[in-house]
Amino acid sequence: MTTVLISGAGVAGSTLGYWLHRHGLTPTVVEQAAALRVGGQAIDVRGVALKVVDWLGILPKVRQARTRMRGMSVVDGDGNELMRSTETAFSSGRLDSDDVELLREDLTQLLYERTRSDVEYIFGDSISTLTEDENGVHVEFTHGHPRRFDLVVGADGLHSQVRRLAFGPEEHYLHHLGTYLAVFGLDNILDLDNWQVWFRDGTTGGVVYPVRDNTQLRVTLGFESEPLEYDYRDTAWQRQIVADKLANLRWEIPRLLKAMAEAPDFYFDTMAQIRMDAWTTGRMALIGDAGYCASTLSGQGTSLALVGAYVLADALRKAGGDHRTAFGCYVARMRPFVEVNQALVTANAGGPPSEESMTNAKNAITLDTPSN
Ligand SMILES: Cc1cc2nc3c(=O)[nH]c(=O)nc-3n(C[C@H](O)[C@H](O)[C@H](O)COP(=O)(O)OP(=O)(O)OC[C@H]3O[C@@H](n4cnc5c(N)ncnc54)[C@H](O)[C@@H]3O)c2cc1C
């Protein structure tokens, strides 16, 4: 049976694990964090990606977990309302849409629960070396014993380790989009009732909205900047960067920054795209953000991850163990879908994608129905 090591237990990794097991392969997922990562803002499952979630058998639970916004306001730096809408929210689009917005951690938890009895998960470890030969890949881990796998897939996000080891340094592929984002949670100190508030002040901005039945807030704070030098693992350093950049802001920002200093689920990253000519090499492949991050601005990163995992697993099934053929099909199927979704950002610099371009992009691939 073909053994596949998947790096990363995010949306892409767990989804791939599900489909590989269902197609008779043997997946193992290695996740760097000690447990599933929490935190992050609400993400969207749209268009074709809803089918993947449906075929996985978790669509009712995903719909149950959806955010339930009534609308949104946009305020200036002093908190004065500039506009409001009860029809759309910038984060998710039209509120009457069939698409689903839910917290990233809720989706990854549902995917994990769906797969944990069939897929081997290793938490708290990471790949340190990959050595490929004719018959497989010898993998060394930071903590665990070395093992051999037939194939290795990087589903380990924007700063993918598999990409670095198999394809070269991140700077060859990462295109910074000029903005950094911090996301964290706190109690609903603003008493928001299923209502988003967006603010903009010069080159800074963000959004605040309630989650978990209005008991908590999820906050996103952003600022424009040239690429910054910092340690990806040093969250104290990252918090300080955000605090410094937003130090002079008014409205509720000082209270939010105070909460950020303590937030256990603090997440910070650049808004960036990964653009690569090749997503596979030898016995290794990339899916999701690792291969084709479209950035938060696209609103399509999670859907790309779901669809990419499905398409790769489907290609491996159809190729009956011939990974070269499978990888070729995977790339050929995904390339146009990725390009149209990445263009949501590059063709709409600065603003959210239009409804028309989003409708086109989210449906820009046709999936074959699973065979069993
Ligand atoms: C904690 C967190 C918060 C996020 N918040 C937001 C957000 O607010 N807005 C937004 O648009 N996108 C956010 N994202 C990214 C978003 O989840 C992805 O764009 C999208 O869901 C595609 O998923 P993915 O599975 O390709 O990558 P990700 O969701 O990034 O998952 C990658 C997984 O790989 C793991 N990993 C990373 N490096 C290694 C390694 N060396 N070895 C093993 N495992 C590794 C990570 O811990 C993570 O579990 C966040 C990602 C994370 C991990």
Side-chain angles (χ1 to χ4, degrees), residues 225-242:
S225 167
E226 293 298 308
L228 297 170
E229 293 285 326
Y230 64 92
D231 185 339
Y232 291 126
R233 286 150 303 206
D234 189 343
T235 60
W237 186 349
Q238 297 160 19
R239 286 173 214 251
Q240 195 56 51
I241 292 172
V242 182

Side-chain angles (χ1 to χ4, degrees), residues 7-12 30-32 37-41 104 125-126 155-157 161 183 267 288-289 296 301-302 305:
S7 177
V11 175
V30 59
E31 163 62 47
Q32 188 174 45
R37 297 275 314 263
V38 294
Q41 55 191 358
R104 177 190 179 280
D125 210 347
S126 181
D156 40 6
Q161 170 80 333
V183 185
Y267 167 78
D289 278 8
T296 299
T302 300

Side-chain angles (χ1 to χ4, degrees), residues 9 89 135 144 153 164 182 187 204 239 251 255 267 278 291 337 368:
N135 301 316
V153 179
R164 194 174 66 74
D187 292 342
T204 61
R239 286 173 214 251
W251 185 50
R255 284 171 86 193
Y267 167 78
F337 186 55
D368 295 337

Side-chain angles (χ1 to χ4, degrees), residues 48-271:
V48 172
L50 284 165
K51 286 192 181 173
V52 177
V53 167
D54 187 17
W55 294 333
L56 258 150
I58 59 170
L59 185 56
K61 286 183 178 168
V62 164
R63 288 205 184 283
Q64 179 70 26
R66 72 187 302 165
T67 60
R68 292 169 200 281
M69 293 302 139
R70 295 181 297 113
M72 65 161 187
S73 316
V74 179
V75 302
D76 67 14
D78 291 307
N80 302 309
E81 190 169 284
L82 303 173
M83 62 90 70
R84 62 169 39 215
S85 172
T86 52
E87 287 169 6
T88 58
F90 288 153
S91 67
S92 59
R94 288 198 62 84
L95 296 174
D96 59 3
S97 161
D98 193 44
D99 299 337
V100 181
E101 181 186 65
L102 76 166
L103 289 175
R104 177 190 179 280
E105 66 208 31
D106 288 350
L107 180 58
T108 50
Q109 184 66 37
L110 287 170
L111 289 166
Y112 176 62
E113 279 165 14
R114 185 76 180 95
T115 50
R116 61 188 297 181
S117 56
D118 298 322
V119 174
E120 177 191 17
Y121 279 89
I122 302 167
F123 284 96
D125 210 347
S126 181
I127 298 170
S128 55
T129 67
L130 292 168
T131 312
E132 181 175 340
D133 57 43
E134 251 178 50
N135 301 316
V137 187
H138 175 79
V139 183
E140 290 181 332
F141 297 91
T142 308
H143 300 297
H145 295 296
R147 287 171 64 174
R148 274 187 76 78
F149 294 88
D150 295 313
L151 304 172
V152 174
V153 179
D156 40 6
L158 185 60
H159 307 293
S160 168
Q161 170 80 333
V162 172
R163 188 181 62 231
R164 194 174 66 74
L165 292 173
F167 296 82
E170 180 168 300
E171 52 268 31
H172 291 179
Y173 308 111
L174 188 142
H175 295 258
H176 179 61
L177 297 173
T179 304
Y180 284 84
L181 289 185
V183 185
F184 56 94
L186 70 154
D187 292 342
N188 187 356
I189 58 170
L190 303 185
D191 286 331
L192 292 175
D193 176 7
N194 287 324
W195 192 265
Q196 286 183 2
V197 183
W198 291 78
F199 77 95
R200 179 93 203 165
D201 195 347
T203 57
T204 61
V207 59
V208 186
Y209 51 85
V211 297
R212 310 256 177 259
D213 289 330
N214 292 318
T215 59
Q216 297 171 25
L217 289 183
R218 213 42 75 99
V219 182
T220 302
L221 301 175
F223 58 87
E224 292 175 19
S225 167
E226 293 298 308
L228 297 170
E229 293 285 326
Y230 64 92
D231 185 339
Y232 291 126
R233 286 150 303 206
D234 189 343
T235 60
W237 186 349
Q238 297 160 19
R239 286 173 214 251
Q240 195 56 51
I241 292 172
V242 182
D244 290 347
K245 294 280 181 188
L246 278 67
N248 297 324
L249 297 193
R250 303 169 306 279
W251 185 50
E252 298 284 357
I253 305 304
R255 284 171 86 193
L256 298 179
L257 288 178
K258 205 166 162 219
M260 181 186 76
E262 312 273 296
D265 60 349
F266 177 81
Y267 167 78
F268 178 74
D269 216 329
T270 168
M271 269 209 237

